[in-house]
Protein backbone atom coordinates (compact mmCIF):
# COMPACT_ATOMS: atom_id res chain seq x y z
CA UNK A 1 0.00 0.00 0.00
CA UNK A 2 2.72 2.48 0.98
CA UNK A 3 4.71 1.67 -2.17
CA UNK A 4 1.61 2.30 -4.24
CA UNK A 5 1.03 5.62 -2.49
CA UNK A 6 4.61 6.71 -3.17
CA UNK A 7 4.30 5.79 -6.86
CA UNK A 8 1.01 7.69 -7.20
CA UNK A 9 2.43 10.77 -5.45
CA UNK A 10 5.54 10.77 -7.60
CA UNK A 11 3.58 10.38 -10.84
CA UNK A 12 1.07 13.11 -10.06
CA UNK A 13 3.58 15.62 -8.83
CA UNK A 14 6.13 15.05 -11.59
CA UNK A 15 3.29 15.62 -14.07
CA UNK A 16 3.36 19.34 -13.49
CA UNK A 17 2.82 20.53 -9.94
CA UNK A 18 6.06 22.43 -9.43
CA UNK A 19 4.97 26.03 -9.01
CA UNK A 20 7.64 26.74 -6.44
CA UNK A 21 10.45 25.38 -8.61
CA UNK A 22 9.92 28.09 -11.19
CA UNK A 23 11.13 30.77 -8.81
CA UNK A 24 14.73 31.94 -8.96
CA UNK A 25 16.21 31.79 -5.48
CA UNK A 26 17.90 34.82 -3.99
CA UNK A 27 21.33 33.92 -2.65
CA UNK A 28 22.63 35.79 0.38
CA UNK A 29 25.22 38.47 -0.35
CA UNK A 30 27.61 36.87 2.11
CA UNK A 31 27.07 33.30 0.89
CA UNK A 32 30.32 31.30 0.56
CA UNK A 33 31.42 29.93 -2.80
CA UNK A 34 32.44 26.64 -1.19
CA UNK A 35 31.49 24.93 2.05
CA UNK A 36 32.99 21.85 3.70
CA UNK A 37 30.38 19.67 5.40
CA UNK A 38 30.96 19.15 9.12
CA UNK A 39 29.70 16.37 11.36
CA UNK A 40 26.29 17.32 12.73
CA UNK A 41 25.40 19.64 9.82
CA UNK A 42 21.83 19.52 8.55
CA UNK A 43 20.52 20.56 5.15
CA UNK A 44 18.79 23.46 6.91
CA UNK A 45 22.03 24.62 8.55
CA UNK A 46 23.86 24.55 5.24
CA UNK A 47 21.04 26.17 3.28
CA UNK A 48 20.83 29.01 5.83
CA UNK A 49 24.37 29.97 4.77
CA UNK A 50 23.17 30.52 1.22
CA UNK A 51 19.50 31.58 1.43
CA UNK A 52 17.68 34.42 3.15
CA UNK A 53 14.72 32.05 3.37
CA UNK A 54 16.35 28.70 4.16
CA UNK A 55 13.03 26.83 4.20
CA UNK A 56 13.19 27.10 0.40
CA UNK A 57 16.19 24.76 0.48
CA UNK A 58 14.58 22.00 -1.68
CA UNK A 59 14.89 24.31 -4.68
CA UNK A 60 18.61 24.67 -3.99
CA UNK A 61 19.15 20.89 -3.75
CA UNK A 62 16.56 19.30 -6.01
CA UNK A 63 18.31 20.42 -9.20
CA UNK A 64 21.50 18.71 -8.08
CA UNK A 65 22.20 15.72 -10.36
CA UNK A 66 24.82 14.38 -7.95
CA UNK A 67 22.57 14.18 -4.91
CA UNK A 68 19.54 11.97 -5.56
CA UNK A 69 19.03 11.86 -1.81
CA UNK A 70 20.41 15.03 -0.18
CA UNK A 71 20.84 13.09 3.06
CA UNK A 72 23.75 11.29 1.37
CA UNK A 73 26.30 14.03 1.89
CA UNK A 74 29.07 13.38 4.35
CA UNK A 75 31.51 15.22 6.60
CA UNK A 76 34.43 16.27 4.47
CA UNK A 77 32.41 16.73 1.28
CA UNK A 78 32.99 20.14 -0.32
CA UNK A 79 29.85 21.79 -1.64
CA UNK A 80 30.19 24.41 -4.38
CA UNK A 81 27.62 27.03 -5.33
CA UNK A 82 27.03 27.03 -9.09
CA UNK A 83 24.40 28.33 -11.51
CA UNK A 84 22.67 26.50 -14.34
CA UNK A 85 21.98 27.81 -17.86
CA UNK A 86 18.81 29.56 -16.65
CA UNK A 87 20.69 31.34 -13.86
CA UNK A 88 19.24 29.18 -11.10
CA UNK A 89 21.59 28.50 -8.17
CA UNK A 90 22.37 24.98 -7.04
CA UNK A 91 24.73 23.22 -4.67
CA UNK A 92 26.89 20.40 -6.00
CA UNK A 93 29.46 18.14 -4.47
CA UNK A 94 32.83 19.28 -5.79
CA UNK A 95 34.47 16.04 -6.91
CA UNK A 96 37.75 17.85 -7.61
CA UNK A 97 38.28 18.47 -3.90
CA UNK A 98 39.53 15.54 -1.85
CA UNK A 99 37.38 14.72 1.15
CA UNK A 100 39.01 15.42 4.50
CA UNK A 101 38.30 12.03 6.04
CA UNK A 102 37.10 8.69 4.71
CA UNK A 103 33.59 7.72 5.76
CA UNK A 104 31.83 4.56 4.68
CA UNK A 105 28.77 5.38 2.62
CA UNK A 106 25.43 3.71 3.03
CA UNK A 107 23.43 2.79 -0.05
CA UNK A 108 19.67 2.58 -0.39
CA UNK A 109 18.31 -0.96 -0.53
CA UNK A 110 16.42 -2.30 -3.48
CA UNK A 111 12.77 -3.25 -3.81
CA UNK A 112 12.27 -3.87 -0.09
CA UNK A 113 13.24 -0.34 0.92
CA UNK A 114 10.68 1.61 2.93
CA UNK A 115 8.72 4.02 0.77
CA UNK A 116 9.89 7.62 0.99
CA UNK A 117 8.52 10.94 -0.18
CA UNK A 118 10.89 13.84 -0.95
CA UNK A 119 9.95 17.10 0.71
CA UNK A 120 10.49 18.85 -2.62
CA UNK A 121 7.49 16.94 -3.97
CA UNK A 122 5.03 18.38 -1.47
CA UNK A 123 6.66 21.67 -0.47
CA UNK A 124 4.52 23.71 -2.96
CA UNK A 125 1.43 22.61 -1.03
CA UNK A 126 2.67 23.22 2.49
CA UNK A 127 1.98 26.27 4.61
CA UNK A 128 4.01 27.71 7.47
CA UNK A 129 1.23 27.68 10.06
CA UNK A 130 2.11 26.37 13.49
CA UNK A 131 0.09 25.29 16.51
CA UNK A 132 1.39 26.97 19.66
CA UNK A 133 -0.04 27.16 23.14
CA UNK A 134 -1.08 30.47 24.69
CA UNK A 135 1.93 30.26 27.01
CA UNK A 136 4.34 29.65 24.13
CA UNK A 137 2.95 32.61 22.18
CA UNK A 138 3.04 34.92 25.20
CA UNK A 139 6.72 34.13 25.77
CA UNK A 140 7.80 35.17 22.25
CA UNK A 141 9.47 38.51 21.41
CA UNK A 142 7.04 40.90 19.73
CA UNK A 143 7.03 43.82 17.29
CA UNK A 144 7.06 47.29 18.86
CA UNK A 145 6.92 49.31 15.65
CA UNK A 146 8.99 50.33 12.65
CA UNK A 147 11.26 53.09 11.41
CA UNK A 148 8.42 54.41 9.23
CA UNK A 149 6.19 55.30 12.21
CA UNK A 150 3.29 53.32 10.75
CA UNK A 151 1.09 50.69 12.34
CA UNK A 152 1.49 48.25 9.46
CA UNK A 153 4.97 47.54 8.09
CA UNK A 154 5.88 46.18 4.66
CA UNK A 155 8.96 45.30 2.58
CA UNK A 156 12.13 47.36 3.09
CA UNK A 157 11.03 48.59 6.51
CA UNK A 158 13.07 48.14 9.64
CA UNK A 159 11.05 46.70 12.50
CA UNK A 160 11.91 46.89 16.19
CA UNK A 161 11.27 44.00 18.52
CA UNK A 162 11.15 43.70 22.29
CA UNK A 163 13.48 40.80 22.97
CA UNK A 164 17.06 39.67 22.58
CA UNK A 165 17.76 38.17 19.14
CA UNK A 166 20.82 36.84 17.31
CA UNK A 167 22.36 39.38 14.95
CA UNK A 168 22.54 37.98 11.41
CA UNK A 169 19.88 35.30 12.06
CA UNK A 170 16.64 34.95 10.08
CA UNK A 171 13.30 35.27 11.85
CA UNK A 172 9.68 34.67 11.02
CA UNK A 173 7.04 37.19 12.05
CA UNK A 174 3.87 35.42 13.17
CA UNK A 175 0.35 36.38 14.18
CA UNK A 176 -1.87 34.53 16.63
CA UNK A 177 -5.02 33.21 14.99
CA UNK A 178 -8.01 31.05 15.87
CA UNK A 179 -7.92 28.38 18.58
CA UNK A 180 -7.71 24.70 17.71
CA UNK A 181 -10.43 23.13 19.85
CA UNK A 182 -10.71 19.40 20.50
CA UNK A 183 -14.37 18.44 19.86
CA UNK A 184 -13.97 15.41 22.11
CA UNK A 185 -12.87 17.31 25.21
CA UNK A 186 -13.83 20.89 24.26
CA UNK A 187 -10.36 22.02 25.34
CA UNK A 188 -8.05 24.36 23.44
CA UNK A 189 -5.15 22.32 22.04
CA UNK A 190 -3.26 25.34 20.69
CA UNK A 191 -3.64 28.39 18.50
CA UNK A 192 -3.17 28.84 14.80
CA UNK A 193 0.03 30.85 14.35
CA UNK A 194 0.32 32.32 10.84
CA UNK A 195 3.52 33.48 9.16
CA UNK A 196 3.12 37.09 8.01
CA UNK A 197 6.72 38.03 7.09
CA UNK A 198 10.39 37.13 7.26
CA UNK A 199 13.17 39.36 8.55
CA UNK A 200 16.85 39.32 9.46
CA UNK A 201 18.18 40.77 12.71
CA UNK A 202 21.08 43.25 12.49
CA UNK A 203 20.97 44.57 16.08
CA UNK A 204 20.45 41.96 18.79
CA UNK A 205 18.68 44.10 21.37
CA UNK A 206 19.31 44.08 25.11
CA UNK A 207 17.38 43.18 28.23
CA UNK A 208 17.06 45.72 31.01
CA UNK A 209 19.56 45.69 33.87
CA UNK A 210 20.10 47.89 36.90
CA UNK A 211 22.40 50.09 34.81
CA UNK A 212 20.85 50.00 31.33
CA UNK A 213 17.32 50.26 29.92
CA UNK A 214 15.74 47.84 27.45
CA UNK A 215 17.10 48.19 23.92
CA UNK A 216 14.90 46.96 21.09
CA UNK A 217 16.27 44.46 18.56
CA UNK A 218 16.32 45.69 14.94
CA UNK A 219 15.42 43.61 11.90
CA UNK A 220 15.34 44.25 8.17
CA UNK A 221 12.11 42.99 6.61
CA UNK A 222 12.95 40.54 3.83
CA UNK A 223 9.54 39.44 2.55
CA UNK A 224 5.94 40.09 3.50
CA UNK A 225 2.89 37.85 3.04
CA UNK A 226 0.63 40.36 4.81
CA UNK A 227 1.33 43.63 6.59
CA UNK A 228 3.24 43.39 9.86
CA UNK A 229 1.36 44.82 12.84
CA UNK A 230 2.49 46.00 16.25
CA UNK A 231 2.30 43.08 18.64
CA UNK A 232 3.06 40.42 16.02
CA UNK A 233 5.32 37.71 17.41
CA UNK A 234 8.85 36.83 16.31
CA UNK A 235 10.57 33.46 16.38
CA UNK A 236 13.58 31.90 14.60
CA UNK A 237 12.71 31.25 10.96
CA UNK A 238 13.46 27.54 11.20
CA UNK A 239 11.45 27.03 14.38
CA UNK A 240 8.92 24.35 13.54
CA UNK A 241 10.01 24.28 9.89
CA UNK A 242 12.92 21.83 10.07
CA UNK A 243 11.24 19.17 8.00
CA UNK A 244 13.25 16.15 6.80
CA UNK A 245 14.56 15.96 3.25
CA UNK A 246 12.70 12.69 2.82
CA UNK A 247 9.67 11.46 4.72
CA UNK A 248 9.81 7.76 5.55
CA UNK A 249 6.21 6.74 4.93
CA UNK A 250 5.19 4.20 7.57
CA UNK A 251 2.11 2.93 9.31
CA UNK A 252 2.18 3.63 13.06
CA UNK A 253 3.12 0.53 15.03
CA UNK A 254 0.36 1.36 17.54
CA UNK A 255 -3.38 1.98 17.41
CA UNK A 256 -4.36 5.59 16.90
CA UNK A 257 -7.72 7.29 16.54
CA UNK A 258 -8.59 10.95 16.38
CA UNK A 259 -10.28 13.67 14.36
CA UNK A 260 -9.57 16.25 11.69
CA UNK A 261 -10.31 19.43 13.63
CA UNK A 262 -9.37 22.13 11.12
CA UNK A 263 -7.80 22.96 7.78
CA UNK A 264 -5.45 25.73 6.68
CA UNK A 265 -7.97 26.68 3.98
CA UNK A 266 -11.38 28.19 4.68
CA UNK A 267 -13.22 25.60 2.58
CA UNK A 268 -16.00 23.43 4.00
CA UNK A 269 -14.77 20.42 2.05
CA UNK A 270 -11.26 19.75 0.80
CA UNK A 271 -9.36 17.17 -1.18
CA UNK A 272 -5.95 15.90 -2.23
CA UNK A 273 -2.94 18.07 -1.24
CA UNK A 274 -4.95 20.14 1.24
CA UNK A 275 -3.44 20.61 4.71
CA UNK A 276 -5.44 19.51 7.75
CA UNK A 277 -4.99 19.74 11.52
CA UNK A 278 -5.38 16.66 13.74
CA UNK A 279 -6.23 16.50 17.44
CA UNK A 280 -3.40 14.04 18.04
CA UNK A 281 0.31 14.81 18.36
CA UNK A 282 3.55 13.87 20.08
CA UNK A 283 1.69 12.88 23.26
CA UNK A 284 0.08 10.12 21.18
CA UNK A 285 3.46 9.26 19.58
CA UNK A 286 2.57 10.53 16.11
CA UNK A 287 5.62 11.33 13.99
CA UNK A 288 6.34 12.86 10.56
CA UNK A 289 5.80 10.26 7.84
CA UNK A 290 3.01 8.39 9.61
CA UNK A 291 0.32 7.38 7.13
CA UNK A 292 -3.26 7.29 8.39
CA UNK A 293 -6.66 6.59 6.91
CA UNK A 294 -9.50 9.12 6.87
CA UNK A 295 -12.86 7.60 7.80
CA UNK A 296 -16.47 8.72 8.09
CA UNK A 297 -19.31 7.15 10.02
CA UNK A 298 -22.21 5.97 7.90
CA UNK A 299 -25.69 7.15 8.94
CA UNK A 300 -27.56 5.90 12.00
CA UNK A 301 -30.64 3.85 11.09
CA UNK A 302 -33.71 3.20 13.25
CA UNK A 303 -35.22 -0.16 12.40
CA UNK A 304 -38.82 0.40 13.55
CA UNK A 305 -42.07 -1.50 13.04
CA UNK A 306 -42.66 0.33 9.75
CA UNK A 307 -39.20 -0.50 8.46
CA UNK A 308 -35.77 1.14 8.67
CA UNK A 309 -35.43 4.91 8.43
CA UNK A 310 -32.46 7.23 8.79
CA UNK A 311 -32.38 9.06 12.10
CA UNK A 312 -33.01 12.42 10.43
CA UNK A 313 -36.17 10.98 8.83
CA UNK A 314 -37.50 9.45 12.04
CA UNK A 315 -40.40 10.84 14.06
CA UNK A 316 -39.94 12.71 17.34
CA UNK A 317 -40.38 9.59 19.44
CA UNK A 318 -37.85 7.62 17.41
CA UNK A 319 -35.32 10.43 17.72
CA UNK A 320 -35.93 10.71 21.45
CA UNK A 321 -35.42 6.96 21.93
CA UNK A 322 -32.51 6.67 19.51
CA UNK A 323 -30.12 5.44 22.22
CA UNK A 324 -32.53 2.91 23.75
CA UNK A 325 -33.37 -0.63 22.78
CA UNK A 326 -32.18 -2.60 19.78
CA UNK A 327 -33.87 -0.50 17.11
CA UNK A 328 -30.94 1.90 16.55
CA UNK A 329 -28.27 0.52 14.25
CA UNK A 330 -25.03 2.40 13.56
CA UNK A 331 -23.89 1.50 10.06
CA UNK A 332 -20.14 0.83 9.61
CA UNK A 333 -17.65 3.61 9.06
CA UNK A 334 -16.03 3.78 5.63
CA UNK A 335 -12.69 5.02 4.41
CA UNK A 336 -12.84 8.32 2.50
CA UNK A 337 -9.14 9.10 2.07
CA UNK A 338 -5.57 8.93 3.34
CA UNK A 339 -3.12 11.44 4.76
CA UNK A 340 0.51 11.77 5.82
CA UNK A 341 1.58 13.56 8.99
CA UNK A 342 4.41 16.02 8.30
CA UNK A 343 4.62 18.33 11.34
CA UNK A 344 3.94 17.36 14.96
CA UNK A 345 3.50 19.47 18.07
CA UNK A 346 2.63 18.27 21.56
CA UNK A 347 -1.13 17.93 21.16
CA UNK A 348 -1.79 18.56 17.46
CA UNK A 349 -0.35 17.59 14.08
CA UNK A 350 -0.41 18.94 10.55
CA UNK A 351 -0.98 16.45 7.75
CA UNK A 352 -1.31 16.52 3.98
CA UNK A 353 -4.17 14.68 2.30
CA UNK A 354 -2.60 12.23 -0.15
CA UNK A 355 -5.67 10.50 -1.52
CA UNK A 356 -9.45 10.94 -1.43
CA UNK A 357 -12.39 8.72 -2.33
CA UNK A 358 -14.83 11.46 -1.31
CA UNK A 359 -14.37 15.12 -0.34
CA UNK A 360 -12.81 15.31 3.15
CA UNK A 361 -14.44 17.37 5.91
CA UNK A 362 -13.58 18.77 9.30
CA UNK A 363 -14.86 16.20 11.79
CA UNK A 364 -13.81 13.17 9.76
CA UNK A 365 -12.09 10.43 11.75
CA UNK A 366 -8.44 9.46 11.43
CA UNK A 367 -7.21 5.98 12.29
CA UNK A 368 -4.80 3.26 11.21
CA UNK A 369 -4.85 2.16 7.61
Amino acid sequence: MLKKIAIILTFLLVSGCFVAQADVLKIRDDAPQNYVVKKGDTLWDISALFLNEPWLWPQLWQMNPQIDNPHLIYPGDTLTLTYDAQGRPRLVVNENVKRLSPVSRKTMKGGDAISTLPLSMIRPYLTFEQALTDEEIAALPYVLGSNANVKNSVNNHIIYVKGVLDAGASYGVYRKGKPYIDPETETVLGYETKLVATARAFRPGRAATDDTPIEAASLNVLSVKREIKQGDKVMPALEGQSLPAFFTMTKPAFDIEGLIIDTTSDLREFSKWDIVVLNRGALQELAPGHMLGIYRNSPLVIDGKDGPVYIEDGNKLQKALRNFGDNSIQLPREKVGELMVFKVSERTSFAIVTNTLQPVRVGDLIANL
Side-chain angles (χ1 to χ4, degrees):
M1 174 62 73
L2 293 179
K3 184 176 181 181
K4 182 179 179 182
I5 292 170
I7 292 172
I8 292 172
L9 284 168
T10 303
F11 173 78
L12 289 173
L13 288 165
V14 169
S15 297
C17 300
F18 293 103
V19 177
Q21 293 182 16
D23 298 331
V24 176
L25 296 179
K26 182 178 180 181
I27 298 297
R28 289 180 54 169
D29 294 337
D30 58 351
Q33 184 62 41
N34 297 289
Y35 178 75
V36 178
V37 179
K38 302 188 298 294
K39 184 177 180 180
D41 275 347
T42 68
L43 298 179
W44 291 87
D45 296 331
I46 296 170
S47 299
L49 297 173
F50 294 89
L51 301 176
N52 282 322
E53 297 177 335
W55 50 84
L56 297 178
W57 68 265
Q59 298 178 51
L60 191 63
W61 293 89
Q62 69 195 6
M63 296 179 286
N64 192 331
Q66 296 170 299
I67 305 180
D68 293 329
N69 180 349
H71 274 318
L72 300 182
I73 58 173
Y74 300 88
D77 280 342
T78 296
L79 305 177
T80 298
L81 179 65
T82 65
Y83 293 83
D84 66 10
Q86 286 73 45
R88 297 176 298 183
R90 63 179 184 179
L91 282 178
V92 299
V93 175
N94 193 330
E95 300 292 351
N96 295 323
V97 179
K98 186 176 180 180
R99 295 174 59 225
L100 299 180
S101 59
V103 178
S104 60
R105 296 194 175 219
K106 297 180 181 179
T107 58
M108 302 297 286
K109 294 183 179 179
D112 294 331
I114 297 174
S115 298
T116 61
L117 179 65
L119 175 62
S120 59
M121 290 287 193
I122 63 173
R123 173 56 84 187
Y125 305 97
L126 302 188
T127 56
F128 292 98
E129 276 81 357
Q130 303 200 51
L132 300 180
T133 65
D134 220 3
E135 293 77 12
E136 289 172 328
I137 295 173
L140 293 172
Y142 55 90
V143 175
L144 297 169
S146 78
N147 64 322
N149 194 26
V150 293
K151 292 183 179 180
N152 300 321
S153 303
V154 294
N155 279 344
N156 302 319
H157 281 181
I158 295 173
I159 57 174
Y160 304 111
V161 168
K162 185 177 182 180
V164 179
L165 308 181
D166 293 327
S170 296
Y171 287 87
V173 182
Y174 285 84
R175 185 168 303 149
K176 180 180 177 181
K178 61 189 174 186
Y180 292 130
I181 298 175
D182 189 343
E184 297 174 329
T185 63
E186 298 185 354
T187 59
V188 175
L189 301 177
Y191 287 85
E192 175 187 52
T193 314
K194 284 181 170 288
L195 179 73
V196 299
T198 62
R200 185 179 298 280
F202 65 91
R203 295 191 193 103
R206 185 177 60 212
T209 68
D210 292 339
D211 302 322
T212 60
I214 291 175
E215 181 179 296
S218 304
L219 301 91
N220 286 313
V221 177
L222 301 176
S223 63
V224 173
K225 296 179 66 176
R226 50 183 63 87
E227 290 181 323
I228 304 169
K229 297 181 179 180
Q230 291 173 297
D232 283 342
K233 302 294 185 173
V234 172
M235 70 177 80
L238 298 187
E239 190 78 26
Q241 309 301 336
S242 297
L243 305 179
F246 278 70
F247 291 94
T248 301
M249 301 163 66
T250 60
K251 299 176 183 178
F254 51 88
D255 291 336
I256 182 78
E257 289 196 354
L259 296 169
I260 295 175
I261 61 171
D262 212 327
T263 173
T264 57
S265 70
D266 294 324
L267 301 177
R268 181 178 178 274
E269 295 184 335
F270 32 95
S271 59
K272 190 180 296 183
W273 316 132
D274 278 324
I275 307 300
V276 296
V277 185
L278 314 180
N279 67 338
R280 296 292 184 266
L283 288 178
Q284 290 77 36
E285 300 184 52
L286 276 185
H290 274 160
M291 298 293 300
L292 298 171
I294 306 171
Y295 300 90
R296 185 174 302 149
N297 286 327
S298 298
L300 180 69
V301 167
I302 298 175
D303 192 12
K305 62 180 181 179
D306 296 325
V309 295
Y310 292 119
I311 182 64
E312 61 266 25
D313 297 327
N315 58 42
K316 292 182 179 179
L317 180 60
Q318 287 175 319
K319 292 179 181 179
L321 299 177
R322 59 186 292 181
N323 295 322
F324 296 92
D326 298 326
N327 291 339
S328 296
I329 302 174
Q330 177 64 62
L331 301 183
R333 71 181 186 184
E334 299 294 344
K335 183 178 175 182
V336 296
E338 296 177 355
L339 55 76
M340 186 191 77
V341 176
F342 68 87
K343 186 191 299 183
V344 178
S345 58
E346 185 175 345
R347 296 191 290 171
T348 59
S349 297
F350 288 86
I352 185 167
V353 177
T354 57
N355 188 33
T356 56
L357 303 174
Q358 298 179 31
V360 179
R361 304 169 188 160
V362 170
D364 282 342
L365 311 170
I366 55 107
N368 302 74
L369 288 169

